Amino acid sequence: MKIPKSIKRFCPSCRKHTEVKVVQLKTGTKRGSLKRGSIQRAKKRGLGVGFGNKGRWGSKPTKPKMTGAKTSKKTYLKYTCKVCNKSTMTTAGIRTKKLEIV
Ligand SMILES: [Zn+2]
């Protein structure tokens, strides 16, 4: 799917159609179960050492590979207004295999 760099779209703060800049958003990484402190710190304190991960530290068992039917992923776009410089996001992601911003 190809999307132009700038398109005309409705801006809620300008309350009219304006030129907007299109940027693809990147999905962030999930935080681990160990929220406070770190694995290294726990090891230094003598915790989390031994056999297995003791339910909290270190590595997790391998996740089974996804064997779903879908080959595409949801992509999210950010639209930045060129007039007021405010941005809006796509509420529902677009399903595409590959997204190109031309
Ligand atoms: Zn605007």
Side-chain angles (χ1 to χ4, degrees):
M1 193 180 174
K2 280 182 182 176
I3 283 176
K5 259 181 201 171
S6 63
I7 47 167
K8 269 208 159 186
R9 206 168 190 270
F10 182 77
C11 174
S13 40
C14 293
R15 286 184 189 174
K16 62 182 177 185
H17 274 73
T18 51
E19 245 336 73
V20 289
K21 203 171 83 181
V22 185
V23 174
Q24 190 185 354
L25 291 177
K26 280 169 190 165
T27 50
T29 50
K30 268 190 182 175
R31 288 188 80 177
S33 60
L34 194 68
K35 277 174 185 167
R36 262 205 240 166
S38 62
I39 295 156
Q40 286 98 313
R41 184 176 157 268
K43 286 247 168 81
K44 269 184 188 169
R45 296 181 76 210
L47 300 162
V49 278
F51 192 75
N53 65 358
K54 313 236 166 159
R56 269 183 282 180
W57 293 282
S59 58
K60 280 176 186 169
T62 50
K63 211 176 165 185
K65 275 191 179 174
M66 295 276 272
T67 49
K70 288 185 180 74
T71 52
S72 59
K73 276 184 177 172
K74 274 192 176 178
T75 47
Y76 296 90
L77 297 170
K78 192 174 92 175
Y79 305 100
T80 315
C81 178
K82 282 183 181 176
V83 180
C84 64
N85 224 22
K86 281 183 181 175
S87 52
T88 47
M89 220 185 89
T90 40
T91 46
I94 315 156
R95 276 208 170 269
T96 45
K97 269 187 183 178
K98 198 182 166 187
L99 190 98
E100 265 184 80
I101 296 165
V102 196

